[in-house]
Amino acid sequence: MQAAQKKAERRRLLVVIGACVAVVAIIGAAVAWAVLGEQNKKAEALSAISGDVAAASCDPITDDPASGSSEHVGPGTNQPDLTTVKYATVPPSSGQHFAVPAVEARRVYTVADAPKIETLVHNLEHGYTILWYDRSVETEQAAAFEALAAKVNAMKESANKFLISPWDPAYGELPAGKKYALSHWSADVDQSSGKVSNQMGHRQLCGGLNTTVVEDFVKKFPWSSAPEPGAA
């Protein structure tokens, strides 16, 4: 009887172990399928914006006189009531800005949660490149934005300093036919003295979204070319 009981217990144990293994296998397969599906979605999204560069209808890159380095306005500054800056260009590639940049981990913003323009201009000062988009394309390009942000932020020229955010038309309308705009604030910084020179803003406006255009812009104006590239 004892032998029979032990044998039955072993069978029950084996059944339990088998069931656990099966559950783990099912969960593992589901996770792998989800990861693969997400990778496929990103690949499809990138493929959709990786076509002919000419089709993006991009203007030549413009070089803008830069100003506003270390000029903080708004909350916590000696100009607390200056909460809206009138920038010289649409979108800005330099200028006065809020004292605190956007430093959270996310790299794609929506209309509902985008930082103020003055906050993001501070990011430009720190070496970021920003892709601004017309609000009308937010929904249709959501997947493409996430895939593009992941790809570009992995570039050594970006060093995870590439943001995508909606443009606020209250600061001026994007030119007719242009739905996207890249901007960067470049400068030379003397490593020994910290002196900043040769500041310049750069912009490129496009009618369509194209991966190559964005990558080329970031390569031309890397994170290291900025008034404060070492800041977060």
Side-chain angles (χ1 to χ4, degrees):
M1 289 179 63
Q2 289 179 343
Q5 288 177 345
K6 289 181 178 179
K7 188 174 181 180
E9 289 173 358
R10 282 196 298 270
R11 282 199 299 268
R12 285 195 293 270
L13 179 60
L14 290 173
V15 170
V16 171
I17 292 174
C20 291
V21 170
V23 169
V24 170
I26 292 172
I27 293 174
V31 170
W33 181 262
V35 170
L36 183 60
E38 190 63 29
Q39 290 175 341
N40 288 338
K41 286 181 181 178
K42 287 184 177 180
E44 291 174 2
L46 282 176
S47 177
I49 58 172
S50 298
D52 182 15
V53 170
S57 302
C58 295
D59 291 343
I61 295 173
T62 59
D63 298 327
D64 312 312
S67 63
S69 181
S70 298
E71 291 185 26
H72 297 165
V73 298
T77 73
N78 59 4
Q79 300 183 69
D81 297 328
L82 182 51
T83 57
T84 301
V85 175
K86 184 175 177 59
Y87 291 105
T89 62
V90 175
S93 54
S94 70
Q96 295 177 317
H97 46 273
F98 286 170
V100 181
V103 294
E104 55 199 308
R106 66 183 304 175
R107 288 296 177 263
V108 179
Y109 290 98
T110 67
V111 172
D113 57 23
K116 286 205 66 176
I117 303 299
E118 291 80 4
T119 296
L120 293 176
V121 171
H122 198 156
N123 285 81
L124 290 175
E125 187 182 36
H126 289 184
Y128 284 72
T129 289
I130 298 177
L131 172 65
W132 313 88
Y133 64 86
D134 185 274
R135 297 179 174 206
S136 65
V137 304
E138 178 180 83
T139 301
E140 67 180 89
Q141 296 288 26
F145 287 154
E146 292 292 343
L148 181 62
K151 182 176 176 61
V152 175
N153 276 304
M155 296 169 58
K156 66 180 187 299
E157 294 89 354
S158 170
N160 202 36
K161 286 190 170 185
F162 174 69
L163 298 178
I164 300 177
S165 189
W167 175 244
D168 185 348
Y171 290 77
E173 296 285 347
L174 292 171
K178 303 303 179 184
K179 300 293 185 181
Y180 307 92
L182 291 156
S183 63
H184 185 86
W185 185 350
S186 69
D188 295 330
V189 181
D190 185 274
Q191 296 301 315
S192 58
S193 66
K195 183 180 179 180
V196 178
S197 61
N198 300 323
Q199 294 190 60
M200 187 71 68
H202 308 283
R203 293 174 297 130
Q204 186 169 27
L205 281 68
C206 300
L209 185 60
N210 184 276
T211 304
T212 301
V213 170
V214 176
E215 290 175 327
D216 287 348
F217 188 90
V218 171
K219 289 175 182 177
K220 189 175 180 67
F221 308 112
W223 71 273
S224 54
S225 177
E228 299 178 12

